[in-house]
Amino acid sequence: MKLILLGPPGAGKGTQAKMLTERFGIPQIATGDILRGAVQAGTALGLQAKSFMDAGALVPDEVVIGIVRERLQQQDCVAGFILDGFPRTVAQADALQVSLESLGRRLDRVISLTVDADELVERLTGRRTCRSCGRGYHVTFDPPRSAQQCDACGGDLYQRDDDREETIRKRLTVYDQQTSPLIAYYRAAGSLTELDGMQPIPVVQEQVLVALQAG
Ligand code: AP5
Ligand code: MG
Ligand code: ZN
């Protein structure tokens, strides 16, 4: 299964991707997670990406396109993959198309999650993430059993640097301007399913699974 999860910051892309990864045993390729890992590790990529991420802006296309192109060639992607947070611009979508064609592969489905702006802000300000396994929580909507520890692996929970209200608003504007055109792009390609991401997490998951069967 080769899938893109599309949607604004806080729509639930990571939450749904983690559940699909467990269910199907295919990797989640989250460019945001890869970039945060690089920042944490202090690599050249991390140094380059940090100022963009802190400002809520997109990291330049050529940087993320290169990351994904290499990632898709790895052995664990043979059975399929879930792209989470990529592509985010038309240039990235075009480049993905070229990469997949060169590997002789095609996307099965693009799932777009729709959520109101006020709800997105509430979700992101309450989000907590596990430093070890990357699982996401929400202090109200999906609370961990203990405030500081991951239920799944016992790792420390942290709040992302870009989950401050001012940066969140900037990320939402960037989504509207640079990423939302991909909805029409994939609709025209006939591979888009739009889902109501305002529903509870398990309900969204169920509808994602139905969309994948239909695709
Ligand atoms: P990235 O890490 O991709 O962040 P994002 O797109 O802003 O999306 P989020 O991870 O914030 O949201 P999500 O949809 O995964 O929501 P989640 O499931 O966690 O990117 C970060 C930065 O990296 C970018 O700003 C950019 O600088 C750079 N970058 C990354 N990719 C790039 C690219 N391709 N090109 C250029 N730059 C790039 O859920 C959010 C919260 O809501 C959680 O607390 C969760 O528990 C809760 N929740 C989830 N679903 C529900 C539900 N149905 N009901 C109630 N609560 C829910
Ligand atoms: Mg995410
Ligand atoms: Zn964990």
Side-chain angles (χ1 to χ4, degrees), residues 9-10 12-15 28 30 32-33 36 84-85 127 160 171:
K13 304 181 296 293
T15 302
Q28 169 195 14
D33 290 349
R36 274 185 294 281
D84 159 7
R127 170 166 56 189
R160 264 169 55 176
R171 286 158 60 205

PDB file of all heavy atoms in Angstrom, residues 9-10 12-15 28 30 32-33 36 84-85 127 160 171, ligand 2:
ATOM      1  N   PRO A   9      -1.527  21.222   9.700  1.00  0.00           N
ATOM      2  CA  PRO A   9      -0.913  20.896  10.986  1.00  0.00           C
ATOM      3  C   PRO A   9      -2.004  20.569  12.012  1.00  0.00           C
ATOM      4  O   PRO A   9      -2.943  21.339  12.170  1.00  0.00           O
ATOM      5  CB  PRO A   9      -0.201  22.193  11.386  1.00  0.00           C
ATOM      6  CG  PRO A   9       0.030  22.923  10.101  1.00  0.00           C
ATOM      7  CD  PRO A   9      -1.090  22.526   9.191  1.00  0.00           C
ATOM      8  N   GLY A  10      -1.864  19.417  12.661  1.00  0.00           N
ATOM      9  CA  GLY A  10      -2.824  19.041  13.697  1.00  0.00           C
ATOM     10  C   GLY A  10      -4.013  18.252  13.180  1.00  0.00           C
ATOM     11  O   GLY A  10      -4.896  17.868  13.955  1.00  0.00           O
ATOM     12  N   GLY A  12      -4.135  15.267  12.226  1.00  0.00           N
ATOM     13  CA  GLY A  12      -4.116  13.876  12.673  1.00  0.00           C
ATOM     14  C   GLY A  12      -3.329  12.962  11.746  1.00  0.00           C
ATOM     15  O   GLY A  12      -3.448  11.736  11.833  1.00  0.00           O
ATOM     16  N   LYS A  13      -2.484  13.538  10.899  1.00  0.00           N
ATOM     17  CA  LYS A  13      -1.694  12.729   9.960  1.00  0.00           C
ATOM     18  C   LYS A  13      -0.799  11.740  10.724  1.00  0.00           C
ATOM     19  O   LYS A  13      -0.788  10.546  10.433  1.00  0.00           O
ATOM     20  CB  LYS A  13      -0.797  13.628   9.081  1.00  0.00           C
ATOM     21  CG  LYS A  13      -1.556  14.697   8.298  1.00  0.00           C
ATOM     22  CD  LYS A  13      -0.637  15.540   7.430  1.00  0.00           C
ATOM     23  CE  LYS A  13       0.383  16.376   8.216  1.00  0.00           C
ATOM     24  NZ  LYS A  13      -0.226  17.463   9.033  1.00  0.00           N
ATOM     25  N   GLY A  14      -0.047  12.254  11.674  1.00  0.00           N
ATOM     26  CA  GLY A  14       0.868  11.403  12.436  1.00  0.00           C
ATOM     27  C   GLY A  14       0.122  10.354  13.245  1.00  0.00           C
ATOM     28  O   GLY A  14       0.538   9.197  13.311  1.00  0.00           O
ATOM     29  N   THR A  15      -0.973  10.769  13.859  1.00  0.00           N
ATOM     30  CA  THR A  15      -1.780   9.845  14.679  1.00  0.00           C
ATOM     31  C   THR A  15      -2.281   8.680  13.831  1.00  0.00           C
ATOM     32  O   THR A  15      -2.157   7.508  14.214  1.00  0.00           O
ATOM     33  CB  THR A  15      -2.984  10.610  15.273  1.00  0.00           C
ATOM     34  OG1 THR A  15      -2.496  11.718  16.039  1.00  0.00           O
ATOM     35  CG2 THR A  15      -3.839   9.717  16.146  1.00  0.00           C
ATOM     36  N   GLN A  28       6.187   4.558   8.152  1.00  0.00           N
ATOM     37  CA  GLN A  28       5.673   5.932   8.095  1.00  0.00           C
ATOM     38  C   GLN A  28       6.855   6.806   7.705  1.00  0.00           C
ATOM     39  O   GLN A  28       7.888   6.775   8.380  1.00  0.00           O
ATOM     40  CB  GLN A  28       5.167   6.326   9.488  1.00  0.00           C
ATOM     41  CG  GLN A  28       4.848   7.799   9.660  1.00  0.00           C
ATOM     42  CD  GLN A  28       4.702   8.185  11.132  1.00  0.00           C
ATOM     43  OE1 GLN A  28       5.097   7.416  12.027  1.00  0.00           O
ATOM     44  NE2 GLN A  28       4.152   9.347  11.396  1.00  0.00           N
ATOM     45  N   ALA A  30       7.712  10.417   7.650  1.00  0.00           N
ATOM     46  CA  ALA A  30       7.238  11.735   8.088  1.00  0.00           C
ATOM     47  C   ALA A  30       8.408  12.711   7.975  1.00  0.00           C
ATOM     48  O   ALA A  30       9.355  12.628   8.761  1.00  0.00           O
ATOM     49  CB  ALA A  30       6.721  11.668   9.518  1.00  0.00           C
ATOM     50  N   GLY A  32       8.630  15.770   8.721  1.00  0.00           N
ATOM     51  CA  GLY A  32       8.788  16.563   9.948  1.00  0.00           C
ATOM     52  C   GLY A  32       9.588  15.799  10.998  1.00  0.00           C
ATOM     53  O   GLY A  32      10.493  16.352  11.633  1.00  0.00           O
ATOM     54  N   ASP A  33       9.288  14.502  11.164  1.00  0.00           N
ATOM     55  CA  ASP A  33      10.023  13.686  12.144  1.00  0.00           C
ATOM     56  C   ASP A  33      11.490  13.548  11.740  1.00  0.00           C
ATOM     57  O   ASP A  33      12.388  13.608  12.588  1.00  0.00           O
ATOM     58  CB  ASP A  33       9.412  12.276  12.239  1.00  0.00           C
ATOM     59  CG  ASP A  33       8.028  12.276  12.894  1.00  0.00           C
ATOM     60  OD1 ASP A  33       7.634  13.317  13.455  1.00  0.00           O
ATOM     61  OD2 ASP A  33       7.353  11.231  12.831  1.00  0.00           O
ATOM     62  N   ARG A  36      13.158  16.873  12.454  1.00  0.00           N
ATOM     63  CA  ARG A  36      13.356  17.087  13.900  1.00  0.00           C
ATOM     64  C   ARG A  36      14.481  16.198  14.424  1.00  0.00           C
ATOM     65  O   ARG A  36      15.260  16.614  15.280  1.00  0.00           O
ATOM     66  CB  ARG A  36      12.061  16.813  14.682  1.00  0.00           C
ATOM     67  CG  ARG A  36      11.133  18.031  14.762  1.00  0.00           C
ATOM     68  CD  ARG A  36       9.919  17.771  15.641  1.00  0.00           C
ATOM     69  NE  ARG A  36       9.051  16.757  15.083  1.00  0.00           N
ATOM     70  CZ  ARG A  36       8.181  16.977  14.092  1.00  0.00           C
ATOM     71  NH1 ARG A  36       8.039  18.188  13.587  1.00  0.00           N
ATOM     72  NH2 ARG A  36       7.448  16.001  13.609  1.00  0.00           N
ATOM     73  N   ASP A  84       3.719  11.056   5.330  1.00  0.00           N
ATOM     74  CA  ASP A  84       3.032  11.915   6.313  1.00  0.00           C
ATOM     75  C   ASP A  84       3.744  13.270   6.296  1.00  0.00           C
ATOM     76  O   ASP A  84       4.883  13.378   6.737  1.00  0.00           O
ATOM     77  CB  ASP A  84       3.118  11.213   7.682  1.00  0.00           C
ATOM     78  CG  ASP A  84       2.928  12.145   8.871  1.00  0.00           C
ATOM     79  OD1 ASP A  84       2.601  13.334   8.695  1.00  0.00           O
ATOM     80  OD2 ASP A  84       3.128  11.667  10.006  1.00  0.00           O
ATOM     81  N   GLY A  85       3.077  14.281   5.739  1.00  0.00           N
ATOM     82  CA  GLY A  85       3.686  15.617   5.700  1.00  0.00           C
ATOM     83  C   GLY A  85       4.537  15.854   4.458  1.00  0.00           C
ATOM     84  O   GLY A  85       5.250  16.848   4.376  1.00  0.00           O
ATOM     85  N   ARG A 127      -0.881  19.060  22.360  1.00  0.00           N
ATOM     86  CA  ARG A 127      -0.185  17.843  21.917  1.00  0.00           C
ATOM     87  C   ARG A 127       1.049  17.560  22.772  1.00  0.00           C
ATOM     88  O   ARG A 127       1.798  18.454  23.151  1.00  0.00           O
ATOM     89  CB  ARG A 127       0.261  17.989  20.466  1.00  0.00           C
ATOM     90  CG  ARG A 127       1.197  16.851  20.044  1.00  0.00           C
ATOM     91  CD  ARG A 127       1.399  16.741  18.572  1.00  0.00           C
ATOM     92  NE  ARG A 127       1.894  17.956  17.974  1.00  0.00           N
ATOM     93  CZ  ARG A 127       1.975  18.145  16.660  1.00  0.00           C
ATOM     94  NH1 ARG A 127       1.552  17.211  15.832  1.00  0.00           N
ATOM     95  NH2 ARG A 127       2.447  19.255  16.188  1.00  0.00           N
ATOM     96  N   ARG A 160       6.397  20.058  21.308  1.00  0.00           N
ATOM     97  CA  ARG A 160       7.207  20.529  20.178  1.00  0.00           C
ATOM     98  C   ARG A 160       7.424  22.043  20.226  1.00  0.00           C
ATOM     99  O   ARG A 160       6.531  22.792  20.591  1.00  0.00           O
ATOM    100  CB  ARG A 160       6.507  20.152  18.863  1.00  0.00           C
ATOM    101  CG  ARG A 160       7.033  18.864  18.287  1.00  0.00           C
ATOM    102  CD  ARG A 160       6.201  18.331  17.162  1.00  0.00           C
ATOM    103  NE  ARG A 160       5.988  19.275  16.068  1.00  0.00           N
ATOM    104  CZ  ARG A 160       5.352  18.958  14.949  1.00  0.00           C
ATOM    105  NH1 ARG A 160       4.877  17.732  14.780  1.00  0.00           N
ATOM    106  NH2 ARG A 160       5.174  19.847  13.996  1.00  0.00           N
ATOM    107  N   ARG A 171       1.990  28.344  10.607  1.00  0.00           N
ATOM    108  CA  ARG A 171       1.959  27.060   9.895  1.00  0.00           C
ATOM    109  C   ARG A 171       0.631  26.858   9.171  1.00  0.00           C
ATOM    110  O   ARG A 171       0.595  26.319   8.068  1.00  0.00           O
ATOM    111  CB  ARG A 171       2.218  25.910  10.889  1.00  0.00           C
ATOM    112  CG  ARG A 171       3.687  25.826  11.320  1.00  0.00           C
ATOM    113  CD  ARG A 171       3.867  25.092  12.652  1.00  0.00           C
ATOM    114  NE  ARG A 171       3.387  23.737  12.640  1.00  0.00           N
ATOM    115  CZ  ARG A 171       3.001  23.075  13.729  1.00  0.00           C
ATOM    116  NH1 ARG A 171       3.033  23.659  14.923  1.00  0.00           N
ATOM    117  NH2 ARG A 171       2.587  21.840  13.627  1.00  0.00           N
TER     118      ARG A 171
HETATM  119 MG    MG B   2       2.770  15.057  12.414  1.00  0.00          MG
END
